[in-house]
Amino acid sequence: MATRVGRYTIRLDQPPSVMGYASVVGKKEGEGPLADEFDQIEEDTTFGEKTWEKAESRLQNTTLNKALGKADITPGTVDIIFAGDLLNQCIGTSYGLREFGIPFAGLYGACSTMAESLAMAAVFVEGGFANVAAALTSSHFCSAERQYRLPLEYGGQRAPSAQWTVTGSGAVILGREGDGPYARELTFGRMVDLGIKDQSNMGAAMAPAAADTLQHYFDDTGVSPDRFDLIVTGDLGAVGSNLLRELLQKEGVTLGENYNDCGLMIYDRDRQDVHAGGSGCGCAASVLCSHILNNMKSGHLHEVLFMATGVLMSPLSVQQGQSIPSVAHAVHLSTSR
Amino acid sequence: MATRVGRYTIRLDQPPSVMGYASVVGKKEGEGPLADEFDQIEEDTTFGEKTWEKAESRLQNTTLNKALGKADITPGTVDIIFAGDLLNQCIGTSYGLREFGIPFAGLYGACSTMAESLAMAAVFVEGGFANVAAALTSSHFCSAERQYRLPLEYGGQRAPSAQWTVTGSGAVILGREGDGPYARELTFGRMVDLGIKDQSNMGAAMAPAAADTLQHYFDDTGVSPDRFDLIVTGDLGAVGSNLLRELLQKEGVTLGENYNDCGLMIYDRDRQDVHAGGSGCGCAASVLCSHILNNMKSGHLHEVLFMATGVLMSPLSVQQGQSIPSVAHAVHLSTSR
């Protein structure tokens, strides 16, 4: 049974365990500082397919297969899968996962999807709604660029605040039993919109949602940030993560050296020309399912607060003059139950 | 605590109760046979907004407000909301619901969203993850047509198998206590794709997914279709609902007079020029949250198997030659606990 803690947080009394996880990334991500941590680096960004969208589907398909393999289970063992992506109608997910025959609950959380899907999977397993559940998402630089921004062939200049969409995917399989890490607490965020309209500054749009959810988690649980070995956001990048520190500081919450952002971890910003850092659903997903979970398994990290943030706009809504609402969901992962 | 029944079905041991529900529809739906059942019929299809997308957001916003009012609760009472829509990046939902300040889990299930969101809300309430949860979706003829098909101004001919996207929204609020109806069983579907590529025949694409999920429900529970006062699909329309009967008949399952489809219920096909019937997330949502729940509240229906189906394609995936995967989720609603 779960216990609600405060207004926003859910404590899982029988924390589900990670049974397996996997990450697959593209060439550029494989040239970054986390190269040794991914399960697979694909040199061919098409993943052998003829369109970027099909490439993203192949990426999700490969990642789920790897996670199932590492968990040593077949698709028939998985009771439900939670997944989504950035593409219109989430076709990276539907075409990537249709062949598995696993009951499917589609999500749309933009870049918050890894935390949203992981939280959903944890709920279903903890409550006995599923014995085994999978959580999955992806992004692909080329499918995202042409949908959200400009044709790649145009070669447009990018603003310094812009981020680079990660070509990558991460999948987690959760079950009732296992040797961890465990999902212990969940905080589902509410939408926050402070009026940002600049599509080239997603970090600024997302930081207030990240601050809102983190503040809720700390208020609800009464713990302070130093309880964690790592507090990690999904893809705020350089602009957004600095803003997050500032916003929380105003509320009296100080994020210390234990705070980092997947968008700052996945690339070497000095060397890789990614401006403010990485972004996309696949950013948080591939960093969680490599560096973070690897370090939890090896005992280098014990208490991790993983929070992914997403912007809930579309190119059309921005063209229509709308500002950009964002959302952030947090999952407390722990090596102890 | 929930009990898993068979491979696909979840039985809720403490079935959550509907606390409130509401439906808001457009002019055309208000001229159909269910006119007297909706909470609001809006003569102005723009809902007072300047774009069709903003109109759809306003529609969702209005519907949730009505459902909260009928449940006699404030947004602050709702622990989580599950919602999504058909628009790219689900902007009908994000811009429609951002002001409520309710923790938000975005879904993408296309026209299956009403069943998916209702099932999610039921899981969260039953398992103690939420005291009160909301489930919501919408569609708008004008925003859907220009995104999925052709500009309205073009005035293209429609195929006889094509359906008419409902301008409508439905919202359900679930809580732990109440006088029903109750959500008693859930079956999450898997994606099914039998190779249909015709965007003008969504009924044919969705019928196999509907058959798959219904078959799973009957196999898992051992009940026969005549247990129900109503078995209702979301928007298979004339083509899809006939196919569903045929597909199940081949498996030895006969759907009788107690089977109907929201896409056939919402319009008068002889009089309203909607070809194969209604479709869109708002079809199942607005029929559930008017006619069906009204009749359960008044004691005319007791056992209802509500199943919404969705096609998980995008215009781009069809242009790229992909066939159309579909999914269907079922919720058993009952007036007894």
Side-chain angles (χ1 to χ4, degrees), chain B residues 18-281:
Chain B
V18 173
M19 296 173 67
Y21 61 95
S23 58
V24 178
V25 299
K27 184 169 184 289
K28 189 179 187 85
E29 294 69 28
E31 293 165 351
L34 305 184
D36 293 343
E37 310 251 25
F38 302 116
D39 290 282
Q40 185 178 323
I41 297 165
E42 182 65 47
E43 292 293 315
D44 174 7
T45 312
T46 72
F47 291 81
E49 300 287 346
K50 292 194 172 172
T51 72
W52 299 125
E53 292 73 23
K54 289 180 181 177
E56 186 167 345
S57 294
R58 176 61 51 202
L59 169 60
Q60 272 206 30
N61 186 290
T62 303
T63 308
L64 181 58
N65 266 321
K66 285 210 174 283
L68 291 169
K70 287 171 76 180
D72 198 19
I73 58 174
T74 61
T77 313
V78 183
D79 291 323
I80 190 161
I81 187 161
F82 299 94
D85 60 81
L86 287 171
L87 299 181
N88 298 345
Q89 289 74 54
C90 297
I91 56 171
T93 300
S94 54
Y95 290 93
L97 305 183
R98 64 180 162 177
E99 76 186 33
F100 287 96
I102 300 171
F104 169 67
L107 305 182
Y108 185 74
C111 304
S112 74
T113 305
M114 192 66 235
E116 185 187 359
S117 61
L118 187 60
M120 292 286 194
V123 159
F124 271 63
V125 171
E126 208 265 358
F129 303 96
N131 293 307
V132 176
L136 179 67
T137 189
S138 67
S139 54
H140 193 298
F141 176 78
C142 302
S143 61
E145 279 301 303
R146 76 170 172 187
Q147 178 184 282
Y148 280 104
R149 296 174 194 97
L150 296 164
L152 290 177
E153 297 80 354
Y154 176 72
Q157 290 273 344
R158 299 162 61 81
S161 58
Q163 295 169 240
W164 188 276
T165 303
V166 166
T167 299
S169 174
V172 176
I173 317 281
L174 288 186
R176 294 194 185 195
E177 301 302 329
D179 53 2
Y182 305 97
R184 293 187 59 167
E185 291 167 320
L186 317 171
T187 304
F188 285 92
R190 53 186 190 176
M191 283 185 264
V192 178
D193 184 342
L194 297 191
I196 300 286
K197 292 187 175 187
D198 180 0
Q199 266 194 290
S200 290
N201 197 352
M202 294 301 187
M206 293 191 288
D212 196 63
T213 300
L214 271 187
Q215 182 82 54
H216 289 157
Y217 174 80
F218 292 129
D219 285 351
D220 286 345
T221 60
V223 305
S224 65
D226 57 14
R227 174 187 179 177
F228 292 96
D229 301 314
L230 177 65
I231 297 170
V232 63
T233 45
D235 58 343
L236 295 181
V239 176
S241 54
N242 284 335
L243 277 173
L244 173 63
R245 284 185 188 274
E246 282 178 36
L247 288 166
L248 285 176
Q249 194 65 62
K250 282 188 187 168
E251 304 296 324
V253 177
T254 304
L255 292 180
E257 290 294 310
N258 60 344
Y259 168 63
N260 211 337
D261 180 77
C262 297
L264 297 174
M265 296 159 77
I266 194 164
Y267 298 122
D268 180 333
R269 288 175 62 225
D270 292 333
R271 200 168 47 78
Q272 289 191 284
D273 189 31
V274 293
H275 297 65
S279 70
C281 305

Side-chain angles (χ1 to χ4, degrees), chain A residues 1-4 7-8 10 12 51 53-54 75-80 82 86-91 93-95 97-98 101-109 116 120 122-124 126-131 146-148 176 188-191 193 312-318 320 322-325 327 329, chain B residues 1-4 7-8 10 12 51 53-54 75-80 82 86-91 93-95 97-98 101-109 116 120 122-124 126-131 146-148 176 188-191 193 312-318 320 322-325 327 329:
Chain A
M1 196 67 181
T3 310
R4 287 194 63 86
R7 168 78 180 102
Y8 296 99
I10 297 162
L12 305 178
T51 73
E53 291 73 23
K54 290 181 181 176
T77 313
V78 183
D79 291 323
I80 191 161
F82 298 96
L86 287 170
L87 299 181
N88 297 345
Q89 288 74 55
C90 297
I91 54 170
T93 300
S94 54
Y95 290 94
L97 306 182
R98 63 180 161 175
I102 301 170
F104 168 69
L107 305 182
Y108 185 73
E116 185 186 1
M120 292 287 194
V123 160
F124 270 63
E126 208 267 355
F129 302 97
N131 293 308
R146 74 171 175 186
Q147 178 184 282
Y148 279 104
R176 294 193 184 195
F188 285 93
R190 53 186 190 178
M191 282 184 267
D193 184 342
L312 302 173
M313 45 63 77
S314 79
L316 185 61
S317 72
V318 172
Q320 291 182 359
Q322 298 262 37
S323 56
I324 301 176
V327 73
H329 307 296
Chain B
M1 195 67 181
T3 309
R4 288 194 62 87
R7 166 79 179 101
Y8 297 98
I10 297 161
L12 305 178
T51 72
E53 292 73 23
K54 289 180 181 177
T77 313
V78 183
D79 291 323
I80 190 161
F82 299 94
L86 287 171
L87 299 181
N88 298 345
Q89 289 74 54
C90 297
I91 56 171
T93 300
S94 54
Y95 290 93
L97 305 183
R98 64 180 162 177
I102 300 171
F104 169 67
L107 305 182
Y108 185 74
E116 185 187 359
M120 292 286 194
V123 159
F124 271 63
E126 208 265 358
F129 303 96
N131 293 307
R146 76 170 172 187
Q147 178 184 282
Y148 280 104
R176 294 194 185 195
F188 285 92
R190 53 186 190 176
M191 283 185 264
D193 184 342
L312 301 173
M313 45 63 76
S314 79
L316 186 60
S317 73
V318 173
Q320 292 182 359
Q322 299 263 35
S323 56
I324 301 175
V327 74
H329 306 296

Side-chain angles (χ1 to χ4, degrees), chain A residues 126-151:
Chain A
E126 208 267 355
F129 302 97
N131 293 308
V132 177
L136 180 66
T137 189
S138 67
S139 54
H140 193 298
F141 176 78
C142 302
S143 61
E145 280 300 303
R146 74 171 175 186
Q147 178 184 282
Y148 279 104
R149 297 175 192 97
L150 296 165

